[in-house]
Amino acid sequence: MLLGGGAVLLVIAAWGVVALPDALSRQHAATKAGTLAVALVCAGAALAVAEPSWSWRLLLIIGFLLATLPVASNLLARAAVREAGQEADAARAPVVGGDAGPAAPRLLPPGRG
């Protein structure tokens, strides 16, 4: 079940990389769906093999994916924003958890936040 689900997600991620219109959308498909798909395949393989030495290796692969792909995704997004010349727009975007000073845009309508 896990191997099949991972394979289906890998196909969906590959289709997203080919079909989506811009670099940010493509990298989102590649990193988000790809990470989940490879994690499902590794988890399915660990259950199918049922040998402790392979299970640890596959869990280590999942750990490396979860540790490195968010950083790679962030760097790819920054490179795409710079290449598109949208650095000024990105600098004005609200930061999650950032200091909301008086000049910061309100994300919620008045009376709701």
Side-chain angles (χ1 to χ4, degrees):
M1 200 85 174
L2 292 173
L3 290 170
V8 168
L9 277 175
L10 276 174
V11 170
I12 292 170
W15 175 75
V17 169
V18 172
L20 291 172
D22 61 347
L24 292 176
S25 299
R26 289 190 296 268
Q27 70 93 19
H28 183 75
T31 56
K32 305 303 183 265
T35 302
L36 180 59
V38 173
L40 286 176
V41 168
C42 287
L47 291 175
V49 173
E51 289 184 27
S53 63
W54 278 105
S55 297
W56 283 110
R57 291 175 190 166
L58 292 166
L59 288 175
L60 192 61
I61 290 171
I62 293 171
F64 280 132
L65 284 175
L66 294 176
T68 59
L69 282 178
V71 175
S73 176
N74 187 3
L75 293 174
L76 284 171
R78 283 179 176 229
V81 166
R82 284 185 181 160
E83 184 177 330
Q86 297 174 341
E87 292 167 321
D89 293 338
R92 287 193 307 267
V95 178
V96 175
D99 182 25
R106 290 190 54 86
L107 299 177
L108 296 174
R112 294 216 175 184

